[in-house]
Structures are given as structure tokens and as C-alpha cells.
Amino acid sequence: QLQLVESGGGLVQPGGSLRLACTGSGATLEYQHIGWFRQAPGKEREGISCISYDGGRTKYADSVKGRFTISRDNAKNTAYLQMNNLKPEDTAVYHCAADLFTSVEAMCASRKPFDFWGQGTQVTVSS
């Protein structure tokens, strides 16, 4: 059965960078879209970025466009989120999810529970 594990979070100063990884085990991710989502206390879950099964299509939230880059390496069964120019408002728990969707747009906009959902990694941006 597929399990997802996020890594790479931590404490970083404003303007700094982090690279998150989402690694699947137990089953392949190659047929599923992967998305990165974040949730801060008291705020609604936000779809940050999603990528298609083959990496050919991506979607970014306006709040991170131009700063974050999503990618995947299916040979490693892993997806990444490169986060540059981090801001305090990026502070949140970041989760990855894998599922079958018609489009990456639909995945990022979805509010439904995903079939496969990682435990999350904390990102804190602070001086």
C-alpha cells in the first residue's frame, strides 16, 4: 500500500530557501498526480502546487508563483518542492498528496480527502 513521507522542512530566514521532498513507498507514483498543500493554524488548506503524472503539466497558487517550483523524479518515486524567497506568510505545515485527477488544476483546487496523504513537514520562516 502506498505511503508518502515528506521531508526537508525547517526554520529559515525570510528570503531563504528550502527544498521539500515527497517520497512514496509501497507502490509507484508514476500514474498519479502529486500535489503540495499547506495549512497554517486558523487558515484554510491551500493547494500550493500540483504536477501531472508525467511531470508535463504544473499548477501554482498565485501566492507562490515565481518563487516555488514543483518537480518529480519518477525513477526515485519522489516529488519535490523548491521554495525560494521564502516569506513569513509561507509558514505552515506542508503536506504532499497523490491521487488520480483529470487535471492538476482540479487537484490543487480540491478540498476532498486524498487517497494518499503524507504526515506533513513544518516550514517556519522567521527572523
Side-chain angles (χ1 to χ4, degrees), residues 9 23 30-31 67 72 86 104 107 115-116:
T23 300
E30 67 180 307
Y31 304 118
R67 299 189 296 121
R72 66 189 297 165
L86 283 160
V104 294
M107 184 173 192
D115 290 341
F116 304 102

Side-chain angles (χ1 to χ4, degrees), residues 44-66:
E44 190 175 72
R45 189 181 83 186
E46 182 181 16
I48 298 303
S49 186
C50 297
I51 188 167
S52 63
Y53 72 98
D54 61 355
R57 289 166 289 142
T58 59
K59 175 68 176 180
Y60 296 93
D62 289 342
S63 58
V64 305
K65 193 174 299 181

Side-chain angles (χ1 to χ4, degrees), residues 57-118:
R57 289 166 289 142
T58 59
K59 175 68 176 180
Y60 296 93
D62 289 342
S63 58
V64 305
K65 193 174 299 181
R67 299 189 296 121
F68 292 9
T69 303
I70 191 170
S71 62
R72 66 189 297 165
D73 185 343
N74 283 346
K76 297 181 179 179
N77 221 33
T78 299
Y80 304 93
L81 186 68
Q82 178 67 46
M83 306 186 295
N84 297 327
N85 192 25
L86 283 160
K87 303 175 180 180
E89 51 263 43
D90 294 319
T91 297
V93 177
Y94 285 69
H95 301 266
C96 66
D99 218 329
L100 181 63
F101 283 82
T102 302
S103 68
V104 294
E105 291 84 2
M107 184 173 192
C108 268
S110 178
R111 294 293 182 264
K112 80 174 188 68
F114 296 107
D115 290 341
F116 304 102
W117 182 265

Side-chain angles (χ1 to χ4, degrees), residues 1-22:
Q1 187 174 9
L2 177 66
Q3 293 183 325
L4 300 176
V5 177
E6 302 95 336
S7 62
L11 175 65
V12 65
Q13 293 184 338
S17 297
L18 288 172
R19 190 192 194 205
L20 306 184
C22 171

